[in-house]
Amino acid sequence: MTFFIFVGDMLVMLFMVVLVVWVYWRSSDDTIEASARIPLEDDQRDE
């Protein structure tokens, strides 16, 4: 049973890594930069 949980976790992790790589390759540098700044500028948007 532990093996199936481990394999499932690894599949989920693989999916997340593939998703990040896919978004990185498909998006322009400006889009990635703007997305990365969202947490940094979150406090400024509330004002």
Side-chain angles (χ1 to χ4, degrees):
M1 184 66 179
T2 304
F3 178 75
F4 291 116
I5 294 173
F6 176 76
V7 170
D9 286 343
M10 292 298 110
L11 289 174
V12 169
M13 189 180 304
L14 177 65
F15 170 75
M16 290 188 288
V17 168
V18 168
L19 182 65
V20 167
V21 169
W22 180 75
V23 167
Y24 178 74
W25 278 341
R26 299 278 294 166
S27 300
S28 66
D29 288 340
D30 294 335
T31 306
I32 293 173
E33 179 80 23
S35 298
R37 292 196 135 296
I38 290 172
L40 299 174
E41 298 173 349
D42 192 35
D43 293 338
Q44 296 173 356
R45 292 184 185 188
D46 291 339
E47 296 175 356

